[in-house]
Amino acid sequence: MSSVPPQDAAPAPVRTPGKRNAAATRQRILDVAMAEFSAHGFSGSRIERIAAGASANVGMIYHYFGNKDDLYLAALEASYKIIRDREQTLDIAHCDPRQALRALIELTFDFLATDPHFVRLIMNENLMMGRTAGRSATIPHMTRPLLEQLRTLLARGQKEKIFHREMDAENLYISILGLCFVHVSNRYTLGSMFQHDFAEPDWLARRKAIVVDVVTRSIVATPAK
Amino acid sequence: MSSVPPQDAAPAPVRTPGKRNAAATRQRILDVAMAEFSAHGFSGSRIERIAAGASANVGMIYHYFGNKDDLYLAALEASYKIIRDREQTLDIAHCDPRQALRALIELTFDFLATDPHFVRLIMNENLMMGRTAGRSATIPHMTRPLLEQLRTLLARGQKEKIFHREMDAENLYISILGLCFVHVSNRYTLGSMFQHDFAEPDWLARRKAIVVDVVTRSIVATPAK
Amino acid sequence: MSSVPPQDAAPAPVRTPGKRNAAATRQRILDVAMAEFSAHGFSGSRIERIAAGASANVGMIYHYFGNKDDLYLAALEASYKIIRDREQTLDIAHCDPRQALRALIELTFDFLATDPHFVRLIMNENLMMGRTAGRSATIPHMTRPLLEQLRTLLARGQKEKIFHREMDAENLYISILGLCFVHVSNRYTLGSMFQHDFAEPDWLARRKAIVVDVVTRSIVATPAK
Amino acid sequence: MSSVPPQDAAPAPVRTPGKRNAAATRQRILDVAMAEFSAHGFSGSRIERIAAGASANVGMIYHYFGNKDDLYLAALEASYKIIRDREQTLDIAHCDPRQALRALIELTFDFLATDPHFVRLIMNENLMMGRTAGRSATIPHMTRPLLEQLRTLLARGQKEKIFHREMDAENLYISILGLCFVHVSNRYTLGSMFQHDFAEPDWLARRKAIVVDVVTRSIVATPAK
DNA sequence: GATGAATGAGCTTTCATTCAT
DNA sequence: TATGAATGAAAGCTCATTCAT
């Protein structure tokens, strides 16, 4: 708010936020929509709340996104893009396979735990039986690099006899996902079972080590950890 | 109210139009409600659709369950009861810990995969931040026996030096749940990633073996599988 | 309002108007809808105004009629029924063909002029290119008796050498309709052309005689009127 | 505003982006508006659709015409002007009255049948109870020459004893209009009554002869046609 | 117990209109 | 002159809930 960049006498066209700035308005709507759909699911989300949250009005949402369904699609795609981009920051090909695996698990664990928006959107999308993801042209396209990383990782580890042969990329990924996802997706029902908050940083730190351990044990050929 | 049937010693279940089978109607509504909430989530579910599906009418739902929120609570509790009862059919205490662990994993895996209603209800409840589970008096009560089973299992395995010491009941359960839950909860988004149906029996059978293996490796003290 | 039927101690279930009376509510809605669609056309009509006019509420309209389109269809069909029923009160077969023709023209002229609702609905329907009449199952069915009347009339008149041969039922009907319809359908634009009101009873009376004369001259074989 | 092109002696029509052809844009909007109001009525017409159809934008419509009401008025007046101008091409005063009558009927018949836009606009205007025609200064002014033609025609025919005395210009015009208008205005409802298309050229040609005959018989004094 | 008519608030969506650029 | 972002009111429609019968 009060922290303005020190000297900024640049003649660049400074737009007042929310006034006559198409790209900015569109982005504000999209950001708020991601949060709204994540918080309330598709049916529970309210167009009017999104408009208000974006300091826009309902008509703008329809102007930029067409309808509620398409706004939801845009929010889903934008969410996928964030995690898929993050994964591509890992340099899988050039470090020790065991280290690379650990790095991938920790990145996934931290991403899902730190920003639960993504988990919630994915849950909601699955509850709707993939209705929207199935319509997306960009989502399948975004998953390819991740699969490449996994296959490279497994191939190198198996070539170096560090990993055993009986694990494929799909099963490895699903194990990682399941172990990184469930305490976020089931945070509240687990919480009422075990009577503590599964978003606590201390618990997450300990759990992250266990997840790395469980996955690593499941794949390493040599028993010595 | 005041019009009671004169002599109720009639042996055959005579249905007078004004007094049909109350318990049966209630149960029909509950069954349909479980399916409806599972299929559409809370917001997406329709009271009228539930009434129609149960061959009842809207008024009956309010008569028996009060309102939509309380109907949802009843459906959630009924769902939990089914899996918790199923788990109690296992005789954890009297067989080999490794076998007992395998049996628990397989029961969980099969239950979640066979009837996705439960998974969907849990997902929905978590999306609503446990709003309803938190109000339930019976759900926490139902989880105790399960935790007892897990602690017994771990204690026996550790005493017999089959399991190592660094695993507690909570972490073990969450690993099992995560690995049995994710391909059901994320069936559609995983499906569009890997381009096949994650409810296929063949895939499930192979995956079940892998899950048993992953969990077992994570806990056994002796490397020999 | 204050005029109650004198003695009415009958135990018949007297319904208070507008309260818990399905058939009456449905009819009230339909009556108001006919007036509304006639007054404002389809697009210009307001569901809420119809509800208010019928002392009902919007939900009831959707309960009984489904949506605006289907309510409009019901109103259109009900309107057609009125004129088609009226026409069937004529006894074409048993009186002098010339008298029968005059009676049919006068009935048509009076019906269209007296209650302009029908004319306006027909106009609106044609502006929508028969979108709704084309969907109706009952409207085509209702026109058959009218065509029968016209054919009977012509056949008798031609057999008796009163009418000449070169006129068919279709052309006769369209002439009658055009001459009875236009001063109602174009009441306002004609009014501003000729600077008087075309709904004035005196003008209508004189015009009716002219229409009978024009149609009769167009069909009689013998020039003597 | 203040930025005028430096020297405007340029011979070629150079289009600067900020100053395109104003009159042409206005005319394009008006043409599209006539079609839109004719096709959808006033309420059903969309400002945005008109703008798109005219390759203009919404702002231009407000710039040139003020608002939707005034645009509709302009479209109505432009439509009236077309038929009134066409009628004035007839040389009523100098040919045989019977031939002149026939020419007027055929011109009216053809004009209404060939371009149904006019009929539809008139219908719509009457459905709105002449709300807009009543505001127009030019429409009443445009009808005067037509009435003059009709009075001249009748006077000459009656003077020459070809027409009988009991027909005035108003009734004659309304008969002509009704018989030329109804198969266009009621094209669709008549179509569903008689199961054929009333815009078919063959049918129109036959009908036109009948209309000329009906009107002529209604006015000629001597029975021999 | 059972029915379904009735209610009212709230939802998504549309649209004429304004205005900064 | 021309553009299109922005606004606000209102439209059609849905739905949880109540209540007379």
Side-chain angles (χ1 to χ4, degrees):
Chain A
M1 289 292 176
S2 56
S3 69
V4 206
Q7 71 255 56
D8 194 16
V14 178
R15 304 263 175 156
T16 64
K19 283 284 160 192
R20 305 272 152 190
N21 189 338
T25 301
R26 205 195 115 99
Q27 188 60 46
R28 263 185 351 259
I29 291 171
L30 191 56
D31 289 341
V32 177
M34 288 167 66
E36 175 81 10
F37 285 124
S38 160
H40 302 99
F42 181 79
S43 301
S45 287
R46 297 292 167 253
I47 292 284
E48 192 139 10
R49 210 155 42 197
I50 294 172
S55 305
N57 62 64
V58 169
M60 283 291 93
I61 292 178
Y62 285 86
H63 182 66
Y64 287 119
F65 295 95
N67 57 25
K68 193 182 182 182
D69 263 76
D70 288 347
L71 176 59
Y72 172 76
L73 171 60
L76 190 65
E77 289 178 340
S79 295
Y80 262 107
K81 184 163 166 44
I82 294 173
I83 186 170
R84 291 291 106 98
D85 282 353
R86 191 81 62 92
E87 286 154 0
Q88 294 311 306
T89 62
L90 289 180
D91 186 12
I92 294 289
H94 298 98
C95 63
D96 169 56
R98 213 182 289 210
Q99 290 307 317
L101 178 63
R102 174 191 211 96
L104 177 61
I105 296 168
E106 292 190 343
L107 180 144
T108 305
F109 189 98
D110 288 338
F111 180 84
L112 299 183
T114 305
D115 180 10
H117 282 30
F118 181 71
V119 169
R120 299 177 61 89
L121 270 178
I122 298 305
M123 291 168 74
N124 189 71
E125 176 61 12
N126 278 286
L127 282 176
M128 294 196 302
M129 298 174 139
R131 198 187 68 176
T132 301
R135 285 171 48 215
S136 170
T138 71
I139 291 176
H141 185 263
M142 286 189 291
T143 61
R144 258 178 230 153
L146 168 64
L147 296 183
E148 276 313 301
Q149 285 181 312
L150 285 165
R151 287 197 198 99
T152 303
L153 174 65
L154 277 174
R156 287 187 57 224
Q158 286 165 356
K159 191 175 170 192
E160 299 179 25
K161 310 274 186 202
I162 300 170
F163 298 159
H164 64 72
R165 294 247 145 222
E166 290 111 51
M167 182 63 76
D168 58 297
E170 181 181 305
N171 274 296
L172 174 59
Y173 178 71
I174 292 174
S175 294
I176 295 173
L177 185 68
L179 293 167
C180 293
F181 200 89
V182 72
H183 54 276
V184 185
S185 67
N186 294 19
R187 171 179 173 185
Y188 299 98
T189 47
L190 286 174
S192 83
M193 271 184 83
F194 293 102
Q195 299 295 323
H196 70 86
D197 182 2
F198 281 78
E200 252 207 324
D202 286 354
W203 186 88
L204 289 170
R206 281 196 302 275
R207 178 68 190 166
K208 178 161 62 175
I210 293 173
V211 169
V212 169
D213 184 60
V214 171
V215 176
T216 304
R217 276 174 187 257
S218 79
I219 194 177
V220 293
T222 52
K225 181 188 165 193
Chain B
M1 285 293 177
S2 56
S3 68
V4 205
Q7 69 253 56
D8 61 19
V14 178
R15 295 279 162 83
T16 63
K19 186 179 184 174
R20 295 221 330 248
N21 194 330
T25 300
R26 202 195 118 99
Q27 187 60 44
R28 271 196 332 271
I29 291 171
L30 191 57
D31 289 342
V32 176
M34 287 166 66
E36 174 82 8
F37 285 124
S38 159
H40 302 100
F42 181 80
S43 301
S45 288
R46 298 289 167 256
I47 291 284
E48 194 138 14
R49 207 154 46 197
I50 294 170
S55 303
N57 60 61
V58 170
M60 285 293 93
I61 291 178
Y62 285 85
H63 181 69
Y64 285 120
F65 295 94
N67 59 23
K68 192 183 183 182
D69 266 75
D70 289 345
L71 175 60
Y72 172 75
L73 171 60
L76 190 65
E77 290 177 341
S79 293
Y80 262 106
K81 183 163 166 47
I82 294 173
I83 187 170
R84 291 293 106 98
D85 283 354
R86 190 80 63 91
E87 286 155 359
Q88 293 312 306
T89 62
L90 288 180
D91 187 11
I92 295 289
H94 300 97
C95 65
D96 169 55
R98 216 183 288 210
Q99 290 307 318
L101 178 63
R102 172 189 212 98
L104 177 61
I105 295 168
E106 291 189 344
L107 181 143
T108 305
F109 190 98
D110 288 337
F111 179 84
L112 299 184
T114 305
D115 181 9
H117 281 32
F118 181 71
V119 169
R120 297 177 62 88
L121 270 178
I122 298 306
M123 289 168 76
N124 190 71
E125 175 61 12
N126 278 286
L127 281 177
M128 295 196 302
M129 301 173 130
R131 200 188 66 175
T132 302
R135 285 170 49 215
S136 170
T138 71
I139 289 176
H141 185 263
M142 287 190 288
T143 62
R144 265 186 222 146
L146 168 64
L147 296 183
E148 277 312 304
Q149 284 181 310
L150 284 167
R151 288 197 197 98
T152 303
L153 174 65
L154 276 174
R156 285 188 57 227
Q158 286 164 358
K159 192 175 170 191
E160 298 179 27
K161 307 277 187 203
I162 299 170
F163 299 159
H164 62 71
R165 293 252 144 219
E166 291 112 49
M167 182 63 77
D168 58 299
E170 180 181 305
N171 274 296
L172 174 59
Y173 178 70
I174 292 174
S175 293
I176 294 172
L177 185 67
L179 292 167
C180 293
F181 199 89
V182 72
H183 54 276
V184 185
S185 67
N186 292 19
R187 171 178 173 185
Y188 299 97
T189 48
L190 286 174
S192 82
M193 269 184 85
F194 293 102
Q195 299 294 325
H196 69 87
D197 183 2
F198 282 79
E200 252 208 323
D202 285 355
W203 187 87
L204 288 171
R206 281 196 300 278
R207 178 69 190 166
K208 179 161 60 174
I210 292 172
V211 169
V212 169
D213 183 60
V214 171
V215 176
T216 305
R217 277 173 185 256
S218 79
I219 195 177
V220 294
T222 51
K225 181 190 165 192
Chain C
M1 288 291 174
S2 55
S3 67
V4 206
Q7 71 255 54
D8 195 15
V14 177
R15 304 264 174 154
T16 63
K19 284 284 160 193
R20 307 272 153 189
N21 189 337
T25 300
R26 206 195 114 99
Q27 189 60 47
R28 267 191 341 265
I29 291 170
L30 191 56
D31 289 342
V32 177
M34 287 166 66
E36 174 82 9
F37 285 124
S38 160
H40 303 99
F42 180 81
S43 301
S45 288
R46 298 289 168 254
I47 291 285
E48 192 138 10
R49 209 154 47 197
I50 295 172
S55 305
N57 61 60
V58 170
M60 283 291 93
I61 292 179
Y62 287 87
H63 183 65
Y64 286 119
F65 295 94
N67 56 27
K68 192 182 181 182
D69 264 77
D70 288 348
L71 175 61
Y72 172 75
L73 172 59
L76 190 64
E77 288 178 340
S79 295
Y80 262 106
K81 185 165 165 42
I82 294 173
I83 187 170
R84 291 293 106 97
D85 282 354
R86 192 80 62 92
E87 286 155 0
Q88 293 311 305
T89 62
L90 289 180
D91 186 12
I92 294 290
H94 299 98
C95 64
D96 170 55
R98 216 182 290 209
Q99 290 307 318
L101 178 63
R102 174 191 210 93
L104 177 61
I105 296 168
E106 291 189 343
L107 181 143
T108 305
F109 190 98
D110 287 337
F111 180 84
L112 299 183
T114 306
D115 180 8
H117 282 30
F118 181 71
V119 168
R120 299 177 61 88
L121 270 177
I122 299 305
M123 290 168 74
N124 190 71
E125 175 62 11
N126 278 286
L127 281 177
M128 295 197 300
M129 298 174 137
R131 201 187 66 175
T132 301
R135 284 170 49 215
S136 171
T138 71
I139 290 175
H141 185 264
M142 287 190 291
T143 63
R144 261 179 228 152
L146 168 63
L147 297 183
E148 277 313 303
Q149 284 182 312
L150 285 165
R151 288 195 199 101
T152 303
L153 174 65
L154 278 173
R156 286 189 56 224
Q158 286 165 358
K159 193 174 168 194
E160 299 179 25
K161 309 274 187 204
I162 299 171
F163 298 158
H164 64 73
R165 293 250 145 221
E166 292 111 49
M167 181 64 75
D168 58 299
E170 181 181 306
N171 274 296
L172 174 59
Y173 177 71
I174 293 174
S175 294
I176 295 173
L177 185 67
L179 293 167
C180 293
F181 200 89
V182 71
H183 52 278
V184 186
S185 67
N186 293 18
R187 170 178 174 186
Y188 299 98
T189 48
L190 286 174
S192 83
M193 270 183 85
F194 293 102
Q195 298 296 324
H196 70 86
D197 182 3
F198 282 78
E200 252 207 325
D202 286 355
W203 186 88
L204 288 170
R206 280 196 301 277
R207 178 69 190 164
K208 178 161 61 174
I210 293 173
V211 169
V212 169
D213 183 61
V214 171
V215 176
T216 304
R217 279 174 184 255
S218 79
I219 194 176
V220 293
T222 53
K225 185 190 165 192
Chain D
M1 288 293 177
S2 55
S3 69
V4 204
Q7 68 252 56
D8 61 16
V14 178
R15 294 281 161 82
T16 63
K19 186 177 183 174
R20 295 215 334 245
N21 196 331
T25 300
R26 204 196 116 99
Q27 188 60 46
R28 271 197 331 270
I29 290 171
L30 190 56
D31 289 341
V32 176
M34 287 166 65
E36 174 82 9
F37 286 123
S38 158
H40 302 100
F42 180 80
S43 300
S45 288
R46 299 288 166 255
I47 292 283
E48 195 139 10
R49 209 155 45 197
I50 294 171
S55 304
N57 61 62
V58 169
M60 285 294 91
I61 291 178
Y62 285 86
H63 181 70
Y64 284 120
F65 295 95
N67 58 24
K68 193 182 182 182
D69 266 75
D70 289 346
L71 175 60
Y72 172 77
L73 171 59
L76 190 65
E77 289 178 340
S79 294
Y80 262 106
K81 184 165 166 42
I82 294 172
I83 187 170
R84 291 293 105 99
D85 282 355
R86 191 81 60 93
E87 286 155 0
Q88 292 313 305
T89 63
L90 289 180
D91 186 12
I92 295 288
H94 300 96
C95 64
D96 169 58
R98 213 182 290 210
Q99 290 307 317
L101 178 63
R102 173 189 212 96
L104 177 61
I105 296 169
E106 292 190 341
L107 181 143
T108 305
F109 190 98
D110 288 337
F111 179 84
L112 299 184
T114 305
D115 180 11
H117 282 30
F118 181 71
V119 169
R120 299 178 60 90
L121 269 178
I122 299 305
M123 290 169 75
N124 190 72
E125 176 60 12
N126 278 286
L127 281 177
M128 295 197 302
M129 299 174 131
R131 197 188 69 174
T132 302
R135 286 169 48 215
S136 170
T138 71
I139 290 175
H141 185 264
M142 287 189 289
T143 63
R144 263 182 224 148
L146 168 64
L147 296 183
E148 277 312 305
Q149 285 181 310
L150 284 165
R151 288 197 196 98
T152 303
L153 175 65
L154 277 173
R156 288 188 53 224
Q158 286 164 357
K159 192 174 169 192
E160 300 178 25
K161 308 277 187 203
I162 300 171
F163 300 157
H164 63 72
R165 292 251 147 219
E166 291 111 48
M167 182 64 76
D168 58 299
E170 181 182 301
N171 275 296
L172 174 59
Y173 178 70
I174 293 174
S175 295
I176 295 173
L177 185 67
L179 292 167
C180 294
F181 200 89
V182 72
H183 53 277
V184 185
S185 68
N186 293 19
R187 170 178 174 185
Y188 299 98
T189 47
L190 285 175
S192 83
M193 271 184 83
F194 293 102
Q195 298 296 323
H196 69 85
D197 182 3
F198 281 79
E200 252 206 325
D202 285 356
W203 186 87
L204 288 171
R206 281 197 299 275
R207 179 69 189 165
K208 179 161 58 175
I210 293 173
V211 169
V212 169
D213 184 60
V214 171
V215 176
T216 305
R217 278 174 185 256
S218 77
I219 193 176
V220 292
T222 52
K225 182 191 165 192

